[in-house]
Amino acid sequence: MNLDKPIISVEKAARTFELAGETVSVLKSIDLSVKHGEFVTLIGRSGSGKTTLLNLLSGLDSPSSGKVLFEDHNMADLNEGKLTELRRSKLGFVFQSFGLLPLLSAFENVELPLRISGLGTREREKQTRKALDIVGLVGRSNHRPYELSGGEQQRVAIARAIVHNPVLILADEPTGELDSVNSRAIFGLFKQMVEENNMAVVAATHDSNLLEMSDRVLRLSEGYIEEDATYGQRFRD
């Protein structure tokens, strides 16, 4: 595995939608690449296209023009079966709403993707405990979501996202429902995973107080993306 080679690259990608008979350009000629061990934060006002870009990166949506390459493979050329396999093996997802199944314990919620993929019982248990250990929740593994705090529920969601050892985590406003203390803890956890496990993380956020933890801050505005020099200069100083 070449760690200097981008995991995912976006080349001149645009995304338009038809709305009430009009063509709306959400993204225009986006260029972006993310390597192993990078923590990239996306910022921009509501409606700037952060979620649309994350959907392109995940293969949940396709660009109207341009390309999204995952490990040099054009995602538009992959059929739904191959895209599903890619998401199960290479990608992890974290959302603003935790998305935990209320009747399952923390352990069972984290284990579920491995069950779906058909992994054996012993290996499932090993990987699930490892993921819960990374997020610091082994001691709460038998608790159901309603017995956990918001911060703990998001940690369970992160454990579920990393249980299959993905190379890229995509997070859409992962701290939107958390207070400032838990928000910093979640971003700190992302930073730790990037540094210790060489994962890459792309996270969209509105919280400017968290940006110092990321390696790069990219701003979406008017359909275009650029490195935010204001934050970059402040962090370098």
Side-chain angles (χ1 to χ4, degrees):
M1 180 170 59
N2 186 351
L3 299 182
D4 292 324
K5 200 168 188 178
I7 298 171
I8 197 162
S9 299
V10 182
E11 299 179 357
K12 306 296 182 187
R15 186 65 174 98
T16 60
F17 297 92
E18 296 297 322
L19 183 63
E22 294 186 8
T23 300
V24 179
S25 296
V26 178
L27 300 176
K28 306 170 185 175
S29 194
I30 298 293
D31 288 308
L32 170 66
S33 66
V34 181
K35 296 180 181 180
H36 293 272
E38 272 198 308
F39 183 4
V40 178
T41 303
L42 300 176
I43 61 174
R45 61 174 176 76
S46 294
S48 62
K50 299 188 299 296
T51 297
T52 300
L53 179 55
L54 289 174
N55 286 341
L56 295 185
L57 295 178
S58 67
L60 293 172
D61 193 11
S62 298
S64 304
S65 62
K67 297 178 180 179
V68 179
L69 304 175
F70 190 96
E71 295 179 340
D72 288 336
H73 298 288
N74 189 344
M75 296 180 78
D77 294 336
L78 302 179
N79 61 33
E80 192 55 43
K82 289 184 178 179
L83 282 172
T84 299
E85 178 57 30
L86 186 150
R87 295 185 199 112
R88 286 179 179 174
S89 61
K90 299 289 185 91
L91 297 176
F93 303 92
V94 182
F95 304 101
Q96 180 174 336
S97 58
F98 314 129
L100 303 178
L101 297 178
L103 298 182
L104 299 185
S105 67
F107 186 96
E108 291 166 335
N109 268 283
V110 175
E111 182 193 36
L112 186 59
L114 302 181
R115 278 185 178 273
I116 293 172
S117 67
L119 200 65
T121 302
R122 182 174 298 180
E123 191 60 28
R124 284 203 314 267
E125 291 182 358
K126 177 183 175 182
Q127 290 187 211
T128 300
R129 293 192 183 281
K130 179 181 177 182
L132 285 167
D133 183 51
I134 288 173
V135 302
L137 281 182
V138 170
R140 305 281 279 168
S141 60
N142 292 325
H143 290 70
R144 289 185 171 86
Y146 67 85
E147 299 173 308
L148 302 172
S149 69
E152 288 173 329
Q153 289 184 60
Q154 191 59 297
R155 285 174 177 267
V156 173
I158 291 172
R160 181 182 58 194
I162 66 173
V163 71
H164 57 293
N165 299 313
V167 295
L168 175 63
I169 300 290
L170 301 173
D172 193 0
E173 298 288 353
T175 63
E177 296 187 4
L178 303 178
D179 59 31
S180 60
V181 173
N182 278 307
S183 293
R184 289 194 68 82
I186 293 303
F187 260 57
L189 185 56
F190 284 148
K191 188 172 182 65
Q192 175 187 329
M193 290 189 300
V194 165
E195 292 175 347
E196 296 181 1
N197 300 298
N198 218 34
M199 293 179 180
V201 174
V202 179
T205 185
H206 280 104
D207 194 339
S208 60
N209 295 316
L210 303 174
L211 301 182
E212 72 224 28
M213 296 189 190
S214 58
D215 299 313
R216 286 193 287 154
V217 178
L218 303 177
R219 179 181 293 277
L220 276 164
S221 178
E222 304 296 331
Y224 297 99
I225 194 169
E226 63 180 3
E227 188 151 359
D228 196 291
T230 303
Y231 290 109
Q233 184 62 47
R234 190 182 73 188
F235 299 154
R236 285 193 293 271
D237 292 346

